[in-house]
Amino acid sequence: DPAMEAAIAEARATLPLFLTHALDAEGYSLPEALVKVELPTVAGSPIDGEHIWIAPFAQTGEGAFVGFLANAPVHLGPLRLGDRVDFTADMISDWHFTAPSGRYWGSFTSRVMHGAGAFGDTPFDQLFEPDPVPADWR
């Protein structure tokens, strides 16, 4: 899907900026921050990778992270909601940060999914900030 691929590319391009604001001085994520990671699926799955939200998470080294599954996986074998996973920066396909308004910054893939009807009748402006990256982050 070209729209989803473009959303992932935009999320990855802004990832360093997000991490600057999403991690504390010790490398732990703030409560408002999540990342979406593509994890390899089990043999026989109809897809090669499952994109799943991770929170909380922490940076453990240069480009290395650890976190906990924030939603229930479908094609990840024995992994369940809340399980710990290790991942690298190149596996991150999206990021999310809750703004003071309660709406979301980032969530590039969710913005595409909203356009495809994934959030029912909920208006876009009730879920997402108009600009996916806060102006004061730039």
Side-chain angles (χ1 to χ4, degrees):
D1 178 355
M4 193 61 79
E5 291 300 321
I8 291 170
E10 191 173 1
R12 287 181 173 156
T14 56
L15 181 62
L17 190 58
F18 164 75
L19 291 173
T20 298
H21 295 276
L23 299 175
D24 67 18
E26 295 177 353
Y28 294 99
S29 64
L30 300 177
E32 301 86 5
L34 293 90
V35 289
K36 186 183 271 188
V37 174
E38 183 178 14
L39 297 174
T41 55
V42 295
S45 172
I47 56 176
D48 293 331
E50 183 171 349
H51 296 263
I52 193 157
W53 289 105
I54 308 275
F57 65 96
Q59 188 164 18
T60 58
E62 185 64 35
F65 297 86
V66 63
F68 298 90
L69 299 179
N71 56 297
V74 176
H75 301 285
L76 299 180
L79 289 176
R80 299 289 176 251
L81 173 70
D83 282 354
R84 178 192 160 131
V85 292
D86 294 296
F87 57 98
T88 58
D90 63 326
M91 296 167 71
I92 297 174
S93 57
D94 202 353
W95 58 264
H96 164 104
F97 199 93
T98 303
S101 67
R103 296 180 302 213
Y104 309 135
W105 283 310
S107 292
F108 298 91
T109 58
S110 297
R111 290 167 187 261
V112 171
M113 292 169 61
H114 182 276
F119 295 90
D121 294 334
T122 306
F124 183 90
D125 63 355
Q126 285 184 8
L127 296 171
F128 305 104
E129 287 291 330
D131 187 347
V133 179
D136 64 344
W137 284 14
R138 298 179 191 260

